[in-house]
Amino acid sequence: MNRPAALEFDRVGKRFAFGETDVRALDDVSLAIAPGEFTAIVGRSGSGKSTLLNLAAGIDTPTSGEVRVDGRALSSLDDDALTTLRRDRVGVVYQFFHLLPGLDVRENVALPLLLGRARRADALARADALLAEVGLGPRARALPHTLSGGEMQRAAVARALVHEPALLLADEPTGNLDTRAAAQVIELLRDLGSRHGATVVMVTHSLEAAGAAARVMEMRDGRVVSDRANAGARPRA
Amino acid sequence: MTITRWLALRPLLRSPGRTLASVLGVALGVAVFVAIRLASGSALAAFSDTVDAVTGRANLQVVARGDGFDETLYTRVRAVPGVQAAAPVVQVTALARPGGFRPAARPDAAPDAGGDTGPRYDETLLVLGLDAFVEAPFFRMELASGERGERGAGSLSATGGEAAAAGLRLLAEPRTIAITRTLASRHGLRVDDSLTVLASGVPTPMTIAAVIESEALQQAMGGNVVITDIATAQEVFGREGRLDRVDLLVAPERRDSVRAELARLLPPTAAAELPQGRTKQVENMVRAFALNLTALSFIAVFVSTFLIFNTMAMSVVRRRRDIGVLRALGMTRGAVARLWLSEAAAIGVLGSALGLVLGTLLARGALRVVGRTLTDLYLVQQTDSLRLDPFTLAVGASLGLFATLGSALLPALEAGATAPGATLRQGQRIESQPLPLTALGVAAAVSLALMVASALWSMQSHVAWGGFAAAFFAIVGFSLLAPGATLAMSSLAAPRAGRLGGIEAALGARALREAVARASTVVAALTVAVGMLVALHVMVGSFRRTVDTWITQTIKGDLYVEPVGHRTSGSATVLPPDLVQGAREIPGVAAVDTYRATPITMNGLLAFAIGIDLRVQRDFGRLSFTSGEDARTVLGRALEGGGVIVSESFAHRHRVKQGDVIALPAAGGAAQVRVEGVLFDYSTDAGAVLMDAATYARLWNDDRTESLALYVKPGASADSVRAAFVALCGPERLMHVTPNAGLRRRVLAVFDQTFQVTWALQGIAVLVAVLGVVSTLTALVLQRGREIGMLRANGATRAQVRRMVLVESGLLGLTGALLGCVAGVALAVLLVQVINKQFFGWTVRFQLEPGIMLQAVALMVVVSALAGLFPAQLAAGRAAAEAMREE
């Protein structure tokens, strides 16, 4: 039996109403991303990339069509089940890191486990391990505002992976970083994603970032206009 | 103006909930202030109007010092050069009911007007005994004969002839009265109907002979004025040969000389006064009561300033990026600050306007309660007509506006001081600057030191407002401790909350630290509200227990006897000597104490001279003295030397101590008497001078009795004595015969009633503080949208987010309540030992009840958590994607 796609969009549409204007953010999008794949979705601002990612994470619902994660239709899940799915199967990295300012770095990383009622000591040990992997071991007890942008994003990547998600979603993860830090984060996503067996879907408008992905989809006006394998991508570890 | 409209007023409309909370906060503060001022002002104004109405056109009066003066004085006063007209007046307040009197079938069924049996005497009337022959210049006896047999006031119009005929009828027919149109129409009374008044407990039917046309008298005491012939009044109320007043018309330019001549002529029982004199006296008497309520009403205003401060400060934080844009576009610092002040001014204007409306509505309720208290404590008659004093309304509106502008000043200045570059960067932390904790701590310490200094100064120098200053410094000082307390609570609670309630509870606890400036403002508001709540509870509780102990220990009579209406008519109540003697002869009665009192004026202040049987008190009573001396010793001394004992509040007001000799303004002239002891007494804050009945009779030429206390022999039954006494009174005299326990209940009921307004005021202050919790948490939740979105994206359930906000709001309540309890104890000490002592002169035994504090803490945690429900729901319900889109 074939394994289901890690992420599947089946004729998905999403509209937003802004006052009297109806904006079509996604228009009849269908795609399937196989388990373990590292896919980049590129496109200009407003092309629908982030909407696609939010729908994939189940934090937004489509106006039409169906989104499936690991073969499970998200429309069939209630809010609690969606939350559980996110907690167990999905990790998200944002452009602005979104680390909680009052928690130190390891606590931030352990957060998804703690929200899932993991034992505190286990969660923190796991966070420490991941922080060591992303090279932030020595900064584990630091507060987020003392970190550089690159460090904060590495911490955010560690947080997204702490619960071993099957699907790692990254929304412009390098948008707020300098070139060197951006390269480090892309490396992390690629290598760590692979090492932890996660399917990585990364939204970006950076061609350098997209260059690291094995598959690149381009979006324009809410549609996927191209979908190609990236021959130049370095194989994942 | 356009920019102001765009940038200052539109944001208010865009966040209607938050705007409403702020407007409501200001409105409640203003409303409480306005309600209390309007209510106490109306009560006093009604009193002053009544005084004016019954004075007529008199511009000088000879008034009795005590219980009336000899009527022969009238002819001598009239003859003083410069007096153009003089009218003698007998004035009594009495209970009455429409209709005639039918004795109850069983004698013991009648004697309680307030009970369930017998007819109720619900109307309090001002009875004016006037002399129709000399009344013309005073325009009080504008009477109409009315039309017999026709109901309603419409038919009661007067012609000159009718008026004269009506006046004549009062003179010619015994026991006839004229009543106001207002009273007539209220009860559908017509001429020839009866109205029964209680004179020393004796129901006395009076026939309505005429209707009073004078407009002023329709308003006085709500129209409850009746006029009768002076001789009738004297006869019915047992005031034969006595007058209460002579009203005078003198040429204005000669008023001073007439006054001087009268001062020479008048005996000590009478004095020449301007008609406003009595109003002034009553104002002085109720001033302390009104001032305390006003001070309390400021608490709600104070609490609402925290709410406004928070709203404006959060508006600055939320729109810091807008400010950056405006500054980058060339808006000056001043203009930015003015924008925020305009926003505050809009809230202030709306809040004040709403506050005036609410305040006027609340005032009607407050008037009923305040009026009842003034009647109980100071014998000022009640009114239900609310006077919308423009000055009070203007002060209330200004208070709302300036409190709002004042509390918005700091945020406005902060907005103006924002550098354009700083605000345009992304990812700003919620607070722009860390709180200056050290400076706040020092300021708190200074404020609390000033509290102690003001309190000590007030106690030493007897300056009453020093206590209020101390309370103000206490409130400010403890408010300044709020940021430190909030941080401490966050640090203490976070690890424990995490262990007990999971990561969301820990996050809720930590959120306090993240938003400490905003959170601590709410904590400060809660601290003040809870502080006052605890302080009032402790003060009222201590006071109540002190009074209860005092009654239980010192009031030892088994039965207390007074005619129904005694509390209304006061010293115009007299018991027949044979009834007093009869009481002594009832089998089982060990002793009878008599009571006679008269109001006196000393050092411009009202007090009461009271005659009691000191021998009975010595042998049967158990009065308690501040010196700690045994009552037998003190009373024995007073009996031997003809000295007096004074109440604690008298001693305080007149700076008198044991062993001093004071000059009592007695009927026969100033009497030098020695103060033999200072008595614990909580019956009146006006102050009382007690002496033996014989001394009283000698000094005031008055050996009558108005009420009794009966001591029952050991083994005898108080119930049988009561039954025997009621039988002795017969069905024609209505008496309250109250057992000891009943008296205690009544005193405590009056006590509890006095503090009703206090609790209402306090409730509103707590409500405003809770509004602050709702409004601030809502704003914080909206501000933390991204954070909450991130939590949801990382697997937090809605329930977890909800719990996080509820833990945060509960901890806000807990911090405010704990700090409030500490503040409350300090404020309670100030209320009991300083403010109460300086204003009323009572010793109240301070008693701390930990139960009250536990209740306050539990209440505030629950109420705050409830207040957090809406923000919690808002946070949980926000779609994570929407929160993240706010990027």
Side-chain angles (χ1 to χ4, degrees), chain B residues 262-276:
Chain B
L262 285 171
R264 210 178 48 75
L265 168 89
L266 295 176
T269 46
E273 275 182 5
L274 299 180
Q276 303 85 345

Side-chain angles (χ1 to χ4, degrees), chain B residues 166-248:
Chain B
L168 272 178
R169 202 176 158 204
L170 286 185
L171 268 178
E173 289 182 32
R175 304 216 165 168
T176 47
I177 52 170
I179 68 170
T180 60
R181 268 186 280 115
T182 321
L183 186 63
S185 59
R186 192 182 312 143
H187 293 290
L189 291 170
R190 55 195 174 178
V191 166
D192 289 337
D193 280 352
S194 288
L195 189 73
T196 303
V197 298
L198 283 181
S200 296
V202 178
T204 312
M206 309 285 275
T207 307
I208 299 167
V211 173
I212 304 168
E213 290 288 301
S214 152
E215 275 312 314
L217 290 177
Q218 309 299 327
Q219 309 302 323
M221 280 193 62
N224 278 16
V225 177
V226 306
I227 290 178
T228 185
D229 178 54
I230 193 161
T232 305
Q234 285 175 323
E235 181 230 322
V236 168
F237 293 100
R239 306 181 71 67
E240 289 90 347
R242 298 180 94 82
L243 295 179
D244 292 301
R245 227 169 53 226
V246 177
D247 288 340
L248 303 175

Side-chain angles (χ1 to χ4, degrees), chain B residues 335-348:
Chain B
V336 169
R338 276 197 298 279
L339 270 187
W340 259 262
L341 286 179
S342 310
E343 196 173 321
I347 291 177

Side-chain angles (χ1 to χ4, degrees), chain B residues 3-12 14-15 18 311-326 336 339-340 343 415 418 423 783:
Chain B
I3 292 203
T4 307
R5 206 168 57 229
W6 285 355
L7 301 172
L9 304 184
R10 274 191 197 166
L12 290 177
R14 275 199 289 269
S15 318
R18 220 171 307 158
T311 306
M312 300 316 296
M314 296 183 87
S315 159
V316 172
V317 172
R318 200 174 61 247
R319 283 151 60 198
R320 206 176 278 288
R321 225 171 288 176
D322 301 2
I323 302 173
V325 174
L326 292 172
V336 169
L339 270 187
W340 259 262
E343 196 173 321
T418 306
T423 60
Q783 213 161 294

Side-chain angles (χ1 to χ4, degrees), chain B residues 628-854:
Chain B
E629 276 179 290
D630 178 46
R632 292 190 69 85
T633 317
V634 179
L635 296 176
R637 226 169 29 226
L639 275 167
E640 262 172 45
V644 298
I645 51 180
V646 300
S647 71
E648 197 185 6
S649 44
F650 182 93
H652 174 81
R653 279 178 179 237
H654 300 275
R655 309 260 181 277
V656 168
K657 56 185 187 307
Q658 186 174 328
D660 287 355
V661 173
I662 56 171
L664 278 182
Q672 303 291 323
V673 289
R674 195 180 135 86
V675 175
E676 300 292 357
V678 177
L679 177 76
F680 285 116
D681 173 83
Y682 302 89
S683 55
T684 167
D685 66 311
V689 182
L690 291 93
M691 63 203 79
D692 187 48
T695 312
Y696 182 94
R698 179 169 53 80
L699 294 179
W700 270 273
N701 301 326
D702 182 2
D703 60 356
R704 295 172 300 171
T705 297
E706 55 191 82
S707 65
L708 303 173
L710 272 52
Y711 293 81
V712 173
K713 283 179 184 157
S717 148
D719 286 345
S720 330
V721 170
R722 184 179 189 277
F725 184 79
V726 169
L728 183 69
C729 292
E732 312 243 309
R733 185 180 292 276
L734 304 187
M735 305 290 283
H736 287 292
V737 186
T738 316
N740 189 304
L743 184 77
R744 177 170 165 262
R745 267 200 306 276
R746 204 175 73 201
V747 170
L748 291 178
V750 170
F751 181 91
D752 293 338
Q753 141 91 39
T754 308
F755 287 99
Q756 265 183 17
V757 179
T758 314
W759 299 129
L761 289 181
Q762 191 44 49
I764 289 175
V766 171
L767 184 67
V768 175
V770 169
L771 264 181
V773 176
V774 179
S775 147
T776 304
L777 273 178
T778 305
L780 282 176
V781 160
L782 293 175
Q783 213 161 294
R784 290 211 303 264
R786 278 183 308 172
E787 180 185 317
I788 292 166
M790 186 281 296
L791 285 173
R792 294 279 285 136
N794 276 290
T797 61
R798 283 177 200 272
Q800 281 177 311
V801 172
R802 204 178 291 127
R803 278 200 293 274
M804 180 182 82
V805 179
L806 288 180
V807 166
E808 186 177 351
S809 58
L811 283 176
L812 274 180
L814 181 64
T815 317
L818 290 176
L819 191 57
C821 283
V822 182
V825 174
L827 283 167
V829 173
L830 290 176
L831 281 176
V832 171
Q833 310 290 13
V834 185
I835 294 178
N836 172 65
K837 189 82 191 159
Q838 296 308 318
F839 274 101
F840 302 107
W842 283 316
T843 296
V844 172
R845 233 158 287 143
F846 187 85
Q847 270 176 305
L848 212 52
E849 256 190 300
I852 294 293
M853 291 191 229
L854 286 177

Side-chain angles (χ1 to χ4, degrees), chain A residues 16 54 59-60 79-80 83 86-87 92 94 96 98 100-104 107 111-112 114-117 145 159, chain B residues 426 429 501-504 507 510 514 786-787 790-798 800 803 880-881 884-885 887:
Chain A
F16 292 108
N54 282 339
I59 57 176
D60 213 347
D79 189 73
D80 282 350
T83 304
R86 273 200 300 276
R87 190 192 285 160
V92 190
Y94 290 101
F96 293 115
H98 295 320
L100 294 189
L103 305 186
D104 66 23
E107 288 169 331
L111 196 59
L114 293 170
L115 285 169
R117 295 283 181 257
H145 71 271
R159 181 180 64 190
Chain B
Q426 293 276 15
R429 285 165 62 83
I503 181 71
E504 64 269 28
L507 289 176
R510 286 186 200 225
E514 283 308 299
R786 278 183 308 172
E787 180 185 317
M790 186 281 296
L791 285 173
R792 294 279 285 136
N794 276 290
T797 61
R798 283 177 200 272
Q800 281 177 311
R803 278 200 293 274
M884 306 315 275
R885 263 201 301 278
E887 289 290 317

